[in-house]
Amino acid sequence: MLTLPNFLTLLRIIAIPVFLICLMGGRYGGALILFVAAALTDTIDGALARIMDSRSELGAVLDPLADKLLQVSSFIVLASIGAIPYWLLVIVISRDVVILTGYAAIYFVSGEAMKVAPTTLGKVSTFFQLFTIGFAVTSLARPDLPMAIGNALIQYCTGVTSGASGLQYVYSGLLYYQRASGPTVSKEKEG
């Protein structure tokens, strides 16, 4: 069933290509408005889901998917137009690829789906990634504002927290795999 929070999340997903077209077309003011609207609807849909007690499996999948689509596509476009450095794009994308690859490997080897809960460091990383996007788009929309020093500082914080949270997820995945596979005893030693 399509709830109001899920509808808002779908609107966010639909707005992502429009946001990217605005960015690539040099319509930075429009891109900034869409980014702020996406951030507000993300906050509102989460609050509504809690208030209305309308959390759903669809929402549990759509909401992080919308966030990840926005983050990854924004980093790619912002790097391609020179608004963020390529080294930051590589860190952010590599983190997600490593996490997804590790998750898939654990699933295929152990046959169990690992429950992944966001860590505090993962949430901080996501915050900095979204803040980097917002800061970069604001810098493009308002080049008259002196934001260069703050922009560099935020980018370094994003790189550090993204890399650190990626390592944390890898470590958690290895611990999970070790527990799931249990001790292995060869049959020769048993007999």
Side-chain angles (χ1 to χ4, degrees):
M1 184 166 101
L2 187 63
T3 63
L4 180 58
N6 291 346
F7 178 73
L8 290 174
T9 302
L10 284 173
L11 284 180
R12 234 170 52 239
I13 292 171
I14 292 168
I16 292 170
V18 180
F19 167 73
L20 298 174
I21 289 168
C22 287
L23 269 182
M24 291 184 293
R27 294 181 184 88
Y28 304 127
L32 182 59
I33 290 168
L34 284 169
F35 183 76
V36 170
L40 288 174
T41 57
D42 188 24
T43 303
I44 292 169
D45 70 27
L48 284 175
R50 286 186 292 280
I51 291 168
M52 298 169 59
D53 195 29
S54 62
R55 295 178 188 163
S56 66
E57 287 184 32
L58 179 63
V61 171
L62 282 182
D63 189 60
L65 177 65
D67 293 343
K68 196 49 66 181
L69 286 172
L70 176 64
Q71 287 168 259
V72 170
S73 60
S74 296
F75 269 88
I76 291 169
V77 170
L78 287 169
S80 73
I81 63 174
I84 61 167
Y86 278 105
W87 64 262
L88 186 56
L89 170 68
V90 170
I91 290 172
V92 169
I93 299 291
S94 296
R95 171 192 178 268
D96 291 340
V97 168
V98 166
I99 291 170
L100 288 172
T101 303
Y103 180 83
I106 288 172
Y107 177 76
F108 287 116
V109 171
S110 71
E112 295 181 24
M114 178 179 166
K115 291 186 181 182
V116 180
T119 64
T120 301
L121 187 54
K123 290 178 183 181
V124 170
S125 170
T126 298
F127 167 79
F128 274 113
Q129 288 178 19
L130 291 171
F131 200 69
T132 297
I133 295 165
F135 212 85
V137 175
T138 301
S139 296
L140 292 168
R142 295 291 312 271
D144 55 314
L145 298 176
M147 302 172 76
I149 293 172
N151 203 2
L153 179 63
I154 291 165
Q155 290 172 358
Y156 285 115
C157 289
T158 302
V160 168
T161 58
S162 295
S165 71
L167 291 173
Q168 183 183 35
Y169 283 117
V170 167
Y171 179 73
S172 297
L174 291 172
L175 287 179
Y176 176 86
Y177 176 72
Q178 187 178 17
R179 283 191 302 268
S181 62
T184 56
V185 179
S186 69
K187 298 215 181 243
E188 295 168 3
K189 289 183 181 178
E190 287 179 1

